Amino acid sequence: MYDVLIVGASFSGLTLAHHLPKSLKVLIIDAKPEAGSTVESTGLITSRTRAEFSSFFPIDQFITNPISAIAVVAPNFDDMFVSEVATPWIYQTDTKALVKALADRLPSNVTFKPKTVFLKVDNAHRPSKAVIRTQGSEEETIDIAFLVGADGGHSKVALSIPTLSKNKRFLFGYEQVFFGDVLRGPRPDETIYHYWFGEFSLGYGGWLSPTIVDGRKAFRIGLAKLMRDRGDAKQLMESFVKKLVERGDIKIEGDIAKPGYVFGSHIPLGGIRKTITHQNVLLIGDAAGFCGAFAADGIKGSVISGKEAAILIPQFLRGKVDALDQLRARMDTHGGIMGYYRRQLGYRWIWDVMRNNRTFRAMYDIIAAEHETFLEQFCDSKDKHRSLARTVLKWRHTWRLVRYSAFWATDAIDYVVRRGWKNG
């Protein structure tokens, strides 16, 4: 008999396991061979997320690069502006080692089973038993008082309970890690780079982040595509890496065709799910849509949903049937993150409509004119109630805004026509 079964041993599930009362008997399962063996995240955390971790875990041991600048690269790959702040705004982590350490240091009331998958529950209305299977073993039925889906955007827990909402829209993120150096810009070890692709690859853009792996300098390079175009991701990544090598932006140690680490992941982009709780079942992290990675650090929602769920689940088990309904409100006390989740849906819509290099270039020209204050607006926007609109909606940008709006409107017509043709 377990008081709480947590499906998924990544940031949300492990944070929850660390915070649940020691009086509860907890089981956390994950299909991976060990925690951290693969991690579908770039592992960037903002300063506020660093503080959230620091309250229960020595996060600084796993920070490789404090980042105090952002470099935005135009669609032609030539033009770039750098915006910086006095202190780090985001941190690159050794993500695999971080997740592994979170699992290795679980409290004694928590049992962790890797190589174990969640199959089903006995009763979708109010489950009291769950069926799991560990690799090399037969199916096992366990008694549970509470079930948590911390198992990512394609949550099997959500699928097992018909009344729970499911993520339906995703980006496909594809990332490779290489040993070597980033060479572009004045302080590459303290800079994260965002490439605005335009026609090269629509969806999100590309990124380049310096890191340290096994004591050696390295960098993470990735891009994200709309799910319908995910089949192009590998080929586009090869072209992206080759272009950066040829331009001298990066220097790779070893074979360009053999990165040290590769992963692909599905990033939910539909916002917070409407129904994330039913009876004694709760979704947290990406399973609940607490992602919002448009302005970096999708990890924050996972960490704080785990923290706050650890307060509410015991209340529910003690008979407070409406306790779980407080999760969103409690999460919002962490810097007003719910407002950010709403805003980023708008950012996402504007970005999705843009189809051409000229539109991305027009936006780039506006932001570049505000580069000295851009990062102050951008960094921790999910924590400080800031809006990126403040950066661009100024009288001195009237001509640039008119130009961008005309290009965006043209793209919007093309976007509507294409959607109508596909739906027809």
Side-chain angles (χ1 to χ4, degrees):
M1 172 69 192
Y2 289 96
D3 296 300
V4 182
L5 169 62
I6 304 170
V7 182
S10 193
F11 292 111
S12 58
L14 290 169
T15 299
L16 172 60
H18 274 274
H19 285 83
L20 284 167
K22 304 302 183 287
S23 58
L24 295 180
K25 187 177 180 182
V26 180
L27 173 64
I28 181 168
I29 65 173
D30 197 288
K32 300 181 184 71
E34 65 174 355
S37 58
T38 59
V39 179
E40 292 79 24
S41 170
T42 300
L44 291 164
I45 59 172
T46 60
S47 55
R48 292 290 182 90
T49 307
R50 177 193 179 198
E52 296 285 358
F53 271 117
S54 296
S55 68
F56 71 99
F57 184 78
I59 184 63
D60 287 359
Q61 295 178 15
F62 302 92
I63 289 175
T64 63
N65 295 70
I67 305 294
S68 57
I70 186 170
V72 177
V73 184
N76 62 6
F77 286 86
D78 293 321
D79 299 321
M80 179 184 83
F81 71 79
V82 177
S83 185
E84 55 188 327
V85 288
T87 57
W89 69 282
I90 205 165
Y91 300 85
Q92 179 65 67
T93 62
D94 183 346
T95 322
K96 283 186 172 184
L98 170 57
V99 174
K100 184 177 186 304
L102 282 166
D104 289 344
R105 303 179 193 188
L106 286 168
S108 59
N109 65 307
V110 180
T111 301
F112 173 47
K113 283 189 175 185
K115 302 180 183 179
T116 303
V117 295
F118 168 83
L119 298 177
K120 60 184 178 180
V121 294
D122 63 329
N123 181 351
H125 176 65
R126 188 183 178 101
S128 60
K129 298 179 185 295
V131 181
I132 63 176
R133 182 175 61 229
T134 301
Q135 184 177 324
S137 303
E138 298 294 325
E139 291 183 3
E140 178 183 2
T141 300
I142 57 173
D143 294 320
I144 57 171
F146 200 93
L147 174 62
V148 178
D151 50 341
H154 291 289
S155 171
K156 289 186 178 180
V157 172
L159 290 173
S160 71
I161 309 295
T163 54
L164 292 178
S165 301
K166 286 77 175 170
N167 289 298
K168 296 180 179 179
R169 297 183 63 233
F170 299 88
L171 284 173
F172 179 73
Y174 190 73
E175 185 172 285
Q176 298 180 345
V177 180
F178 292 94
F179 290 105
D181 290 287
V182 180
L183 304 175
R184 189 168 189 175
R187 291 184 292 122
D189 290 347
E190 302 173 31
T191 304
I192 187 168
Y193 300 78
H194 193 198
Y195 289 78
W196 290 7
F197 283 155
E199 295 156 26
F200 178 77
S201 174
L202 294 172
Y204 178 83
W207 59 89
L208 174 63
S209 181
T211 188
I212 303 292
V213 177
D214 298 330
R216 298 167 58 191
K217 292 184 71 173
F219 53 84
R220 311 175 73 111
I221 181 169
L223 56 82
K225 296 284 297 175
L226 296 175
M227 277 297 292
R228 64 175 178 266
D229 302 322
R230 63 187 180 277
D232 301 333
K234 184 176 180 181
Q235 182 178 353
L236 283 167
M237 175 65 82
E238 292 174 358
S239 299
F240 185 30
V241 174
K242 183 179 179 181
K243 184 180 287 285
L244 297 191
V245 170
E246 291 173 347
R247 292 183 48 82
D249 289 0
I250 56 176
K251 180 181 179 182
I252 292 175
E253 296 178 7
D255 189 344
I256 189 174
K258 296 180 179 180
Y261 180 55
V262 178
F263 74 81
S265 64
H266 295 165
I267 306 167
L269 53 76
I272 303 168
R273 300 295 80 201
K274 182 178 180 181
T275 305
I276 62 172
T277 180
H278 177 79
Q279 295 290 343
N280 59 333
V281 183
L282 175 66
L283 305 178
I284 60 175
D286 284 6
F290 297 137
C291 181
F294 188 85
D297 184 18
I299 295 173
K300 182 183 179 183
S302 292
V303 173
I304 64 174
S305 63
K307 278 187 169 185
E308 295 300 339
I311 296 171
L312 301 175
I313 291 171
Q315 294 179 12
F316 177 88
L317 293 175
R318 291 194 296 267
K320 188 177 181 183
V321 294
D322 61 346
L324 305 177
D325 297 335
Q326 301 174 34
L327 181 60
R328 290 182 177 86
R330 292 189 65 93
M331 287 179 63
D332 206 37
T333 64
H334 298 253
I337 194 170
M338 294 299 149
Y340 164 73
Y341 286 146
R342 289 189 292 271
R343 292 194 303 275
Q344 66 104 27
L345 289 176
Y347 302 151
R348 180 74 251 167
W349 176 69
I350 292 171
W351 194 273
D352 282 346
V353 168
M354 296 193 294
R355 315 295 301 175
N356 295 286
N357 280 347
R358 66 181 187 180
T359 315
F360 282 93
R361 178 69 202 212
M363 175 180 279
Y364 172 90
D365 289 340
I366 299 172
I367 303 296
E370 293 288 333
H371 72 273
E372 292 184 357
T373 59
F374 169 67
L375 186 51
E376 186 61 31
Q377 293 292 329
F378 182 82
C379 71
D380 280 347
S381 64
K382 59 172 63 65
D383 298 315
K384 299 179 180 178
H385 305 277
R386 289 176 175 152
S387 170
L388 296 176
R390 298 180 189 178
T391 302
V392 300
L393 297 181
K394 297 177 181 178
W395 284 110
R396 63 175 174 270
H397 298 316
T398 299
W399 167 241
R400 292 188 182 96
L401 286 167
V402 169
R403 183 170 177 266
Y404 168 72
S405 298
F407 292 155
W408 188 90
T410 302
D411 287 355
I413 293 171
D414 179 61
Y415 176 79
V416 171
V417 170
R418 287 174 181 269
R419 284 176 63 91
W421 178 77
K422 288 182 178 180
N423 291 338

